[in-house]
Amino acid sequence: SLQAQFDQRFSGGLFFITSFTWSRNFDIGCADFWEACAIQNPYNLNGERGPSPLDVPLVFTFSPGYELPFGKGKAHLNSGPASWLLGNWQVNGIFSARSGTVYTPTINFDNANVGGGVTERPDIIGDPNLANPTPNQWFNVNAFAVSPPYTYGNAGRDSLRGPGFWNLDFSVFRTFNIVERLRLQFRAEFFNIFNHP
């Protein structure tokens, strides 16, 4: 993996943390309880090599915060009622975006006649990727076919990838200084503020 992080701490009331990860995670067979060890052919474990269910190739996070420049000890409106009303406010956000997770195309019967069926995969006969996928059809269903009877399909384990994800959380804080060592904080936090699925 490649991991990078950049921090900026309080410069004129602004701070942020930015991080980025690029990674690849492959395994053979399964990733314990995440995938329930769904091996199609125990005599061909190399055929089970593929992206791990834990494989999320790209992850980006940006977390800014800003202390508004109003109130006692700040650059603007540092006295009077406006100072009390507008002072000690802070706004924050967390934006995150990541790649989708992988999944495996399967068939729902025992085509290979080995007493299983749940872990058997179809043959790939075309490009499973769509130019404009939708929630109703995320991949090209016509790109798969059932393999000949008594055989295993050639579709790879975890060969399909679901949609990526992005999210924005937002918060507003205000700190009230009661006495020297006692503070009270008001918080309003909004998770997934755009209600993005």
Side-chain angles (χ1 to χ4, degrees), residues 6-88:
F6 180 70
D7 296 2
Q8 175 63 50
R9 301 283 179 182
F10 286 106
S11 176
L14 178 67
F15 62 93
F16 61 84
I17 300 172
T18 303
S19 61
F20 173 75
T21 302
W22 171 84
S23 66
R24 294 302 304 259
N25 186 351
F26 281 85
D27 62 14
I28 295 177
C30 62
D32 198 25
F33 61 88
W34 285 281
E35 201 174 17
C37 295
I39 295 173
Q40 175 178 250
N41 182 356
Y43 298 105
N44 180 18
L45 290 181
N46 285 333
E48 303 304 310
R49 186 177 188 279
S52 165
L54 307 175
D55 180 47
V56 180
L58 300 172
V59 178
F60 173 77
T61 305
F62 178 61
S63 303
Y66 183 58
E67 284 188 346
L68 300 180
F70 308 121
K72 186 176 180 180
K74 302 290 175 67
H76 305 288
L77 303 173
N78 48 25
S79 64
S83 170
W84 186 89
L85 187 63
L86 299 174
N88 298 322

Side-chain angles (χ1 to χ4, degrees), residues 133-157:
T134 66
N136 292 331
Q137 189 169 352
W138 193 255
F139 62 92
N140 180 9
V141 296
N142 297 318
F144 298 96
V146 176
S147 60
Y150 311 112
T151 63
Y152 293 109
N154 64 11
R157 186 184 125 263

Side-chain angles (χ1 to χ4, degrees), residues 48-128:
E48 303 304 310
R49 186 177 188 279
S52 165
L54 307 175
D55 180 47
V56 180
L58 300 172
V59 178
F60 173 77
T61 305
F62 178 61
S63 303
Y66 183 58
E67 284 188 346
L68 300 180
F70 308 121
K72 186 176 180 180
K74 302 290 175 67
H76 305 288
L77 303 173
N78 48 25
S79 64
S83 170
W84 186 89
L85 187 63
L86 299 174
N88 298 322
W89 285 97
Q90 178 178 323
V91 293
N92 307 284
I94 301 174
F95 174 78
S96 58
R98 64 174 175 83
S99 302
T101 55
V102 292
Y103 59 99
T104 303
T106 59
I107 58 177
N108 62 358
F109 64 96
D110 185 9
N111 185 61
N113 195 30
V114 293
V118 177
T119 61
E120 293 180 30
R121 301 188 291 267
D123 279 340
I124 294 181
I125 59 171
D127 184 2

